[in-house]
Amino acid sequence: MSSSSTTTTTTRLLMLKASDGVTFEVEEAVATKLGAINNMVEEEGSEDLICLPNVNGKFLGMVLEWCKKHANNNTNSDKGNDEVNKWWDKEFVMDLDQNTLYHLLMAADYLSGTELVDLLTEKVASMIRGKKVEEIRETFKIKSDFLPGQEEEIRKKNSWAFE
Amino acid sequence: MKMSHRPWSDLSQDILTLISNRLGLIELIRFRSVCKQWKSSSSTSTAEIESSPGLNPWFLFYGENLSPRSITRTGEKYAIRIPELEGAAVLASSHGWLLVFKNGSIFFLCPFSRSRIDLPSSPFSDLADHVASFSAPPSDPGCAVAVISRIDGRRLVLKLLRRGEEEWTSFEYSYGVSSLDAVKCAAHRGGSFYFFDGQDRLLMFSIKELGPKLCRVVKITDPKERAKCETMPFWCKKESGLKKWLEEDDLPEGASISTCGTYVESETERGSDHVIFHENIEAAEKSDGDQRLKLKGVWIHPRFFQVYKDGRW
């Protein structure tokens, strides 16, 4: 047997508690990819249980899943990692239904997961591209709240873009 | 917990801004008319992706008796209302802004948002052989504008205005008759203005040193020789291929067109940027002696800048 010690770096585990009481045990290195958790860890130091009253377990789970994938992919210093991450991100956002996308975006924003917010806002942007205003409103279930005449005014300014 | 369907109009301003920042020109304009919240959250979005490195500009037609039309990089055509361009001449195009001369005054115009920033009194009252360039968007504190014109056969005058200044500074420059032809095109890069004549000469003007330098542009392949010379930081596209690209109904028979070029960043870091030159595309002689139709055009990256501080320079 070789005498070399196995290099298992001991990583600290954090316990994250969602608004509905669901808890997640996560490696510190993964959880601190989220700016908000990183701040809490740095400020509060020893605290191992972190309560997140603004995130539901379902979405916290999804955010952490994304963090884990990215943390794992980044440990290999392969050049192909970017490609792997991109491919995985694509899969991640592909089948999100609108309600999930909405709540996930709120969760990622609350947890300051900047990269994930970028990914999700790009997904929303892609749902806007190529659509007419009425189609955008329909897609996102939005009712126009402009005063009568206001919308016409806006459209008139750039009528060419509404053709 | 009940997962209620939350309205997308209620997303935080910050998130909405992140979304609108990712949109191109047409989508941004549409985004702004969805609802009040979406409109106010996108007030600082400028369709930045439209000038991403490697993306070609749009082409904008304008001129007397011609309502402006734009042709996108994919060939779609739109008729756009831009009263500011009626009877005007575009002197320079860069960063999604145009430098416009009209009725004796000079101003910046973002033609798609129709934002306008007036410059202090124009340094000239009639347009002649003036060629201009500017270093940054007019809202940028480092923006400088340079306009060059000929006084006579051997003297040039360069007028410089830096942001915040109320008066133009003049620099006169004499040169040998054969050393510089009429200046045809200008560009800016890395703190220097580049003025090209129709031949192979170049007048460089450093904003910091406030001094001109006359150069010859040559193509050198021998690495040893090349080491002795300065390298141009961009390449020049003297012919944009516009004539081939335009369709017949864009350029009616007998029409000539004078264009204003722009600066295009390269997609890769190692590739170099290029300048699309100003061009004059003359019509084929018409035998019936009809007056030729004179059109104008400008290459521009379609951005959407909004100016709130009453458009002061």
Side-chain angles (χ1 to χ4, degrees), chain B residues 11 19 25 32 49 52 72 92 123-124 126 150 156 177 191 208 217 238 250 281 296 303 306 308-309:
Chain B
L11 275 179
I19 295 167
L25 178 67
R32 292 168 47 75
I49 61 164
S52 301
T72 70
F124 52 90
D126 292 305
R150 226 176 345 183
L156 283 171
V177 180
K208 204 171 152 200
V217 184
K238 290 199 172 171
D250 293 324
I281 298 171
K296 290 179 195 163
R303 301 285 300 272
Q306 294 176 79
Y308 295 102
K309 280 170 63 189

PDB file of all heavy atoms in Angstrom, chain B residues 11 19 25 32 49 52 72 92 123-124 126 150 156 177 191 208 217 238 250 281 296 303 306 308-309:
ATOM      1  N   LEU B  11     -42.161  42.155 -11.358  1.00  0.00           N
ATOM      2  CA  LEU B  11     -40.752  41.837 -11.067  1.00  0.00           C
ATOM      3  C   LEU B  11     -40.058  43.104 -10.599  1.00  0.00           C
ATOM      4  O   LEU B  11     -40.453  44.204 -10.969  1.00  0.00           O
ATOM      5  CB  LEU B  11     -40.058  41.335 -12.339  1.00  0.00           C
ATOM      6  CG  LEU B  11     -40.181  39.855 -12.678  1.00  0.00           C
ATOM      7  CD1 LEU B  11     -39.448  39.585 -13.980  1.00  0.00           C
ATOM      8  CD2 LEU B  11     -39.577  38.989 -11.583  1.00  0.00           C
ATOM      9  N   ILE B  19     -33.170  42.280 -17.691  1.00  0.00           N
ATOM     10  CA  ILE B  19     -33.792  41.663 -18.871  1.00  0.00           C
ATOM     11  C   ILE B  19     -33.733  42.631 -20.061  1.00  0.00           C
ATOM     12  O   ILE B  19     -33.292  42.264 -21.146  1.00  0.00           O
ATOM     13  CB  ILE B  19     -35.250  41.257 -18.572  1.00  0.00           C
ATOM     14  CG1 ILE B  19     -35.285  40.155 -17.496  1.00  0.00           C
ATOM     15  CG2 ILE B  19     -35.948  40.764 -19.840  1.00  0.00           C
ATOM     16  CD1 ILE B  19     -36.650  39.890 -16.899  1.00  0.00           C
ATOM     17  N   LEU B  25     -32.464  46.407 -30.463  1.00  0.00           N
ATOM     18  CA  LEU B  25     -33.227  47.647 -30.637  1.00  0.00           C
ATOM     19  C   LEU B  25     -34.742  47.438 -30.745  1.00  0.00           C
ATOM     20  O   LEU B  25     -35.507  48.031 -29.997  1.00  0.00           O
ATOM     21  CB  LEU B  25     -32.728  48.403 -31.875  1.00  0.00           C
ATOM     22  CG  LEU B  25     -33.490  49.687 -32.182  1.00  0.00           C
ATOM     23  CD1 LEU B  25     -33.249  50.735 -31.117  1.00  0.00           C
ATOM     24  CD2 LEU B  25     -33.120  50.225 -33.550  1.00  0.00           C
ATOM     25  N   ARG B  32     -40.672  48.403 -24.088  1.00  0.00           N
ATOM     26  CA  ARG B  32     -41.037  49.666 -23.451  1.00  0.00           C
ATOM     27  C   ARG B  32     -42.521  49.990 -23.568  1.00  0.00           C
ATOM     28  O   ARG B  32     -43.008  50.893 -22.900  1.00  0.00           O
ATOM     29  CB  ARG B  32     -40.219  50.807 -24.044  1.00  0.00           C
ATOM     30  CG  ARG B  32     -38.738  50.727 -23.688  1.00  0.00           C
ATOM     31  CD  ARG B  32     -37.907  51.688 -24.517  1.00  0.00           C
ATOM     32  NE  ARG B  32     -38.490  53.024 -24.583  1.00  0.00           N
ATOM     33  CZ  ARG B  32     -38.470  53.894 -23.593  1.00  0.00           C
ATOM     34  NH1 ARG B  32     -37.893  53.583 -22.469  1.00  0.00           N
ATOM     35  NH2 ARG B  32     -39.027  55.074 -23.741  1.00  0.00           N
ATOM     36  N   ILE B  49     -26.318  45.250 -27.038  1.00  0.00           N
ATOM     37  CA  ILE B  49     -25.883  44.100 -27.824  1.00  0.00           C
ATOM     38  C   ILE B  49     -25.806  44.412 -29.318  1.00  0.00           C
ATOM     39  O   ILE B  49     -25.171  43.683 -30.058  1.00  0.00           O
ATOM     40  CB  ILE B  49     -26.767  42.840 -27.614  1.00  0.00           C
ATOM     41  CG1 ILE B  49     -28.215  43.092 -28.025  1.00  0.00           C
ATOM     42  CG2 ILE B  49     -26.731  42.356 -26.177  1.00  0.00           C
ATOM     43  CD1 ILE B  49     -28.983  41.782 -28.196  1.00  0.00           C
ATOM     44  N   SER B  52     -22.258  44.839 -30.226  1.00  0.00           N
ATOM     45  CA  SER B  52     -21.332  43.795 -29.784  1.00  0.00           C
ATOM     46  C   SER B  52     -20.242  43.634 -30.836  1.00  0.00           C
ATOM     47  O   SER B  52     -20.501  43.784 -32.024  1.00  0.00           O
ATOM     48  CB  SER B  52     -22.054  42.463 -29.655  1.00  0.00           C
ATOM     49  OG  SER B  52     -23.101  42.560 -28.742  1.00  0.00           O
ATOM     50  N   THR B  72     -31.548  46.796 -41.994  1.00  0.00           N
ATOM     51  CA  THR B  72     -30.866  46.096 -40.906  1.00  0.00           C
ATOM     52  C   THR B  72     -29.756  45.221 -41.484  1.00  0.00           C
ATOM     53  O   THR B  72     -29.655  45.040 -42.689  1.00  0.00           O
ATOM     54  CB  THR B  72     -31.827  45.178 -40.126  1.00  0.00           C
ATOM     55  OG1 THR B  72     -32.174  44.088 -40.975  1.00  0.00           O
ATOM     56  CG2 THR B  72     -33.088  45.913 -39.719  1.00  0.00           C
ATOM     57  N   ALA B  92     -20.357  62.395 -38.866  1.00  0.00           N
ATOM     58  CA  ALA B  92     -19.646  61.240 -38.303  1.00  0.00           C
ATOM     59  C   ALA B  92     -20.649  60.313 -37.645  1.00  0.00           C
ATOM     60  O   ALA B  92     -21.719  60.744 -37.207  1.00  0.00           O
ATOM     61  CB  ALA B  92     -18.606  61.705 -37.285  1.00  0.00           C
ATOM     62  N   PRO B 123     -18.482  75.484 -35.380  1.00  0.00           N
ATOM     63  CA  PRO B 123     -17.232  76.166 -35.731  1.00  0.00           C
ATOM     64  C   PRO B 123     -17.228  76.624 -37.188  1.00  0.00           C
ATOM     65  O   PRO B 123     -16.267  77.229 -37.637  1.00  0.00           O
ATOM     66  CB  PRO B 123     -16.172  75.101 -35.475  1.00  0.00           C
ATOM     67  CG  PRO B 123     -16.882  73.808 -35.662  1.00  0.00           C
ATOM     68  CD  PRO B 123     -18.297  74.048 -35.223  1.00  0.00           C
ATOM     69  N   PHE B 124     -18.255  76.320 -37.929  1.00  0.00           N
ATOM     70  CA  PHE B 124     -18.342  76.786 -39.319  1.00  0.00           C
ATOM     71  C   PHE B 124     -19.807  77.002 -39.639  1.00  0.00           C
ATOM     72  O   PHE B 124     -20.689  76.424 -39.005  1.00  0.00           O
ATOM     73  CB  PHE B 124     -17.720  75.762 -40.279  1.00  0.00           C
ATOM     74  CG  PHE B 124     -18.258  74.368 -40.102  1.00  0.00           C
ATOM     75  CD1 PHE B 124     -19.367  73.944 -40.830  1.00  0.00           C
ATOM     76  CD2 PHE B 124     -17.669  73.481 -39.205  1.00  0.00           C
ATOM     77  CE1 PHE B 124     -19.873  72.670 -40.660  1.00  0.00           C
ATOM     78  CE2 PHE B 124     -18.181  72.194 -39.028  1.00  0.00           C
ATOM     79  CZ  PHE B 124     -19.292  71.790 -39.756  1.00  0.00           C
ATOM     80  N   ASP B 126     -21.067  77.143 -43.056  1.00  0.00           N
ATOM     81  CA  ASP B 126     -21.464  76.401 -44.252  1.00  0.00           C
ATOM     82  C   ASP B 126     -20.639  75.137 -44.357  1.00  0.00           C
ATOM     83  O   ASP B 126     -19.447  75.146 -44.086  1.00  0.00           O
ATOM     84  CB  ASP B 126     -21.257  77.242 -45.512  1.00  0.00           C
ATOM     85  CG  ASP B 126     -22.224  78.402 -45.542  1.00  0.00           C
ATOM     86  OD1 ASP B 126     -23.433  78.156 -45.447  1.00  0.00           O
ATOM     87  OD2 ASP B 126     -21.745  79.560 -45.617  1.00  0.00           O
ATOM     88  N   ARG B 150     -10.168  72.299 -45.001  1.00  0.00           N
ATOM     89  CA  ARG B 150      -9.043  72.946 -45.662  1.00  0.00           C
ATOM     90  C   ARG B 150      -9.225  74.454 -45.688  1.00  0.00           C
ATOM     91  O   ARG B 150     -10.327  74.937 -45.940  1.00  0.00           O
ATOM     92  CB  ARG B 150      -8.931  72.425 -47.093  1.00  0.00           C
ATOM     93  CG  ARG B 150      -7.516  72.085 -47.390  1.00  0.00           C
ATOM     94  CD  ARG B 150      -7.220  71.485 -48.675  1.00  0.00           C
ATOM     95  NE  ARG B 150      -8.276  70.936 -49.491  1.00  0.00           N
ATOM     96  CZ  ARG B 150      -7.984  70.345 -50.625  1.00  0.00           C
ATOM     97  NH1 ARG B 150      -6.728  70.243 -51.017  1.00  0.00           N
ATOM     98  NH2 ARG B 150      -8.940  69.856 -51.382  1.00  0.00           N
ATOM     99  N   LEU B 156      -4.540  73.328 -43.328  1.00  0.00           N
ATOM    100  CA  LEU B 156      -5.739  72.703 -42.770  1.00  0.00           C
ATOM    101  C   LEU B 156      -6.048  73.368 -41.449  1.00  0.00           C
ATOM    102  O   LEU B 156      -5.157  73.880 -40.774  1.00  0.00           O
ATOM    103  CB  LEU B 156      -5.465  71.236 -42.461  1.00  0.00           C
ATOM    104  CG  LEU B 156      -5.428  70.206 -43.564  1.00  0.00           C
ATOM    105  CD1 LEU B 156      -4.915  68.901 -42.991  1.00  0.00           C
ATOM    106  CD2 LEU B 156      -6.815  70.017 -44.149  1.00  0.00           C
ATOM    107  N   VAL B 177       2.431  70.634 -50.593  1.00  0.00           N
ATOM    108  CA  VAL B 177       1.327  70.433 -51.532  1.00  0.00           C
ATOM    109  C   VAL B 177       1.119  68.956 -51.852  1.00  0.00           C
ATOM    110  O   VAL B 177       0.003  68.470 -51.938  1.00  0.00           O
ATOM    111  CB  VAL B 177       1.587  71.204 -52.846  1.00  0.00           C
ATOM    112  CG1 VAL B 177       0.430  70.988 -53.817  1.00  0.00           C
ATOM    113  CG2 VAL B 177       1.768  72.668 -52.557  1.00  0.00           C
ATOM    114  N   GLY B 191      -7.280  57.491 -28.212  1.00  0.00           N
ATOM    115  CA  GLY B 191      -6.825  58.842 -27.899  1.00  0.00           C
ATOM    116  C   GLY B 191      -6.312  59.639 -29.082  1.00  0.00           C
ATOM    117  O   GLY B 191      -5.859  60.765 -28.920  1.00  0.00           O
ATOM    118  N   LYS B 208      -4.263  64.125 -26.404  1.00  0.00           N
ATOM    119  CA  LYS B 208      -3.469  64.438 -25.222  1.00  0.00           C
ATOM    120  C   LYS B 208      -2.353  65.427 -25.565  1.00  0.00           C
ATOM    121  O   LYS B 208      -2.157  66.429 -24.894  1.00  0.00           O
ATOM    122  CB  LYS B 208      -2.872  63.145 -24.681  1.00  0.00           C
ATOM    123  CG  LYS B 208      -2.534  63.198 -23.210  1.00  0.00           C
ATOM    124  CD  LYS B 208      -2.155  61.815 -22.718  1.00  0.00           C
ATOM    125  CE  LYS B 208      -1.203  61.908 -21.550  1.00  0.00           C
ATOM    126  NZ  LYS B 208      -0.477  60.645 -21.368  1.00  0.00           N
ATOM    127  N   VAL B 217       0.426  55.482 -45.226  1.00  0.00           N
ATOM    128  CA  VAL B 217      -0.056  54.138 -44.910  1.00  0.00           C
ATOM    129  C   VAL B 217       0.458  53.186 -45.983  1.00  0.00           C
ATOM    130  O   VAL B 217       0.173  53.349 -47.173  1.00  0.00           O
ATOM    131  CB  VAL B 217      -1.602  54.088 -44.883  1.00  0.00           C
ATOM    132  CG1 VAL B 217      -2.074  52.709 -44.459  1.00  0.00           C
ATOM    133  CG2 VAL B 217      -2.141  55.141 -43.928  1.00  0.00           C
ATOM    134  N   LYS B 238     -12.256  50.431 -47.542  1.00  0.00           N
ATOM    135  CA  LYS B 238     -12.551  51.591 -48.388  1.00  0.00           C
ATOM    136  C   LYS B 238     -13.819  51.383 -49.198  1.00  0.00           C
ATOM    137  O   LYS B 238     -14.495  52.329 -49.569  1.00  0.00           O
ATOM    138  CB  LYS B 238     -11.369  51.884 -49.296  1.00  0.00           C
ATOM    139  CG  LYS B 238     -10.189  52.429 -48.508  1.00  0.00           C
ATOM    140  CD  LYS B 238      -9.194  53.151 -49.364  1.00  0.00           C
ATOM    141  CE  LYS B 238      -8.167  53.813 -48.453  1.00  0.00           C
ATOM    142  NZ  LYS B 238      -7.043  54.377 -49.151  1.00  0.00           N
ATOM    143  N   ASP B 250     -33.663  50.450 -53.883  1.00  0.00           N
ATOM    144  CA  ASP B 250     -32.986  51.301 -52.907  1.00  0.00           C
ATOM    145  C   ASP B 250     -32.259  52.435 -53.608  1.00  0.00           C
ATOM    146  O   ASP B 250     -32.197  53.547 -53.122  1.00  0.00           O
ATOM    147  CB  ASP B 250     -31.953  50.492 -52.114  1.00  0.00           C
ATOM    148  CG  ASP B 250     -32.610  49.451 -51.240  1.00  0.00           C
ATOM    149  OD1 ASP B 250     -33.698  49.751 -50.705  1.00  0.00           O
ATOM    150  OD2 ASP B 250     -32.040  48.363 -51.094  1.00  0.00           O
ATOM    151  N   ILE B 281     -20.812  57.004 -54.222  1.00  0.00           N
ATOM    152  CA  ILE B 281     -21.134  56.091 -55.303  1.00  0.00           C
ATOM    153  C   ILE B 281     -21.874  56.897 -56.357  1.00  0.00           C
ATOM    154  O   ILE B 281     -22.992  57.374 -56.129  1.00  0.00           O
ATOM    155  CB  ILE B 281     -21.983  54.903 -54.791  1.00  0.00           C
ATOM    156  CG1 ILE B 281     -21.151  54.124 -53.769  1.00  0.00           C
ATOM    157  CG2 ILE B 281     -22.406  54.006 -55.945  1.00  0.00           C
ATOM    158  CD1 ILE B 281     -21.929  53.066 -53.035  1.00  0.00           C
ATOM    159  N   LYS B 296     -28.209  60.342 -49.521  1.00  0.00           N
ATOM    160  CA  LYS B 296     -27.175  60.262 -48.489  1.00  0.00           C
ATOM    161  C   LYS B 296     -27.430  59.028 -47.648  1.00  0.00           C
ATOM    162  O   LYS B 296     -28.564  58.547 -47.564  1.00  0.00           O
ATOM    163  CB  LYS B 296     -27.224  61.488 -47.588  1.00  0.00           C
ATOM    164  CG  LYS B 296     -26.778  62.762 -48.262  1.00  0.00           C
ATOM    165  CD  LYS B 296     -26.909  63.897 -47.273  1.00  0.00           C
ATOM    166  CE  LYS B 296     -26.835  65.236 -47.993  1.00  0.00           C
ATOM    167  NZ  LYS B 296     -27.356  66.300 -47.145  1.00  0.00           N
ATOM    168  N   ARG B 303     -28.459  51.793 -31.718  1.00  0.00           N
ATOM    169  CA  ARG B 303     -28.589  51.860 -30.259  1.00  0.00           C
ATOM    170  C   ARG B 303     -29.770  52.747 -29.885  1.00  0.00           C
ATOM    171  O   ARG B 303     -30.332  53.447 -30.724  1.00  0.00           O
ATOM    172  CB  ARG B 303     -27.284  52.419 -29.658  1.00  0.00           C
ATOM    173  CG  ARG B 303     -26.054  51.574 -29.992  1.00  0.00           C
ATOM    174  CD  ARG B 303     -26.024  50.312 -29.180  1.00  0.00           C
ATOM    175  NE  ARG B 303     -25.984  50.575 -27.752  1.00  0.00           N
ATOM    176  CZ  ARG B 303     -24.860  50.756 -27.063  1.00  0.00           C
ATOM    177  NH1 ARG B 303     -23.701  50.696 -27.666  1.00  0.00           N
ATOM    178  NH2 ARG B 303     -24.891  50.974 -25.763  1.00  0.00           N
ATOM    179  N   GLN B 306     -31.112  57.325 -24.259  1.00  0.00           N
ATOM    180  CA  GLN B 306     -32.044  58.349 -23.809  1.00  0.00           C
ATOM    181  C   GLN B 306     -31.292  59.353 -22.963  1.00  0.00           C
ATOM    182  O   GLN B 306     -30.483  58.988 -22.130  1.00  0.00           O
ATOM    183  CB  GLN B 306     -33.167  57.699 -23.009  1.00  0.00           C
ATOM    184  CG  GLN B 306     -33.994  56.803 -23.905  1.00  0.00           C
ATOM    185  CD  GLN B 306     -35.043  56.070 -23.125  1.00  0.00           C
ATOM    186  OE1 GLN B 306     -36.074  56.628 -22.788  1.00  0.00           O
ATOM    187  NE2 GLN B 306     -34.774  54.825 -22.820  1.00  0.00           N
ATOM    188  N   TYR B 308     -31.510  62.485 -20.390  1.00  0.00           N
ATOM    189  CA  TYR B 308     -32.465  63.097 -19.474  1.00  0.00           C
ATOM    190  C   TYR B 308     -32.071  64.493 -19.014  1.00  0.00           C
ATOM    191  O   TYR B 308     -32.909  65.308 -18.716  1.00  0.00           O
ATOM    192  CB  TYR B 308     -32.687  62.189 -18.255  1.00  0.00           C
ATOM    193  CG  TYR B 308     -33.332  60.910 -18.678  1.00  0.00           C
ATOM    194  CD1 TYR B 308     -32.605  59.740 -18.814  1.00  0.00           C
ATOM    195  CD2 TYR B 308     -34.682  60.895 -19.007  1.00  0.00           C
ATOM    196  CE1 TYR B 308     -33.205  58.576 -19.247  1.00  0.00           C
ATOM    197  CE2 TYR B 308     -35.298  59.736 -19.440  1.00  0.00           C
ATOM    198  CZ  TYR B 308     -34.556  58.572 -19.555  1.00  0.00           C
ATOM    199  OH  TYR B 308     -35.149  57.437 -19.989  1.00  0.00           O
ATOM    200  N   LYS B 309     -30.765  64.740 -18.958  1.00  0.00           N
ATOM    201  CA  LYS B 309     -30.360  66.049 -18.413  1.00  0.00           C
ATOM    202  C   LYS B 309     -30.456  67.118 -19.487  1.00  0.00           C
ATOM    203  O   LYS B 309     -29.463  67.660 -19.938  1.00  0.00           O
ATOM    204  CB  LYS B 309     -28.959  65.966 -17.818  1.00  0.00           C
ATOM    205  CG  LYS B 309     -28.983  65.354 -16.418  1.00  0.00           C
ATOM    206  CD  LYS B 309     -27.602  65.039 -15.892  1.00  0.00           C
ATOM    207  CE  LYS B 309     -26.747  66.264 -15.719  1.00  0.00           C
ATOM    208  NZ  LYS B 309     -25.367  65.891 -15.415  1.00  0.00           N
TER     209      LYS B 309
END
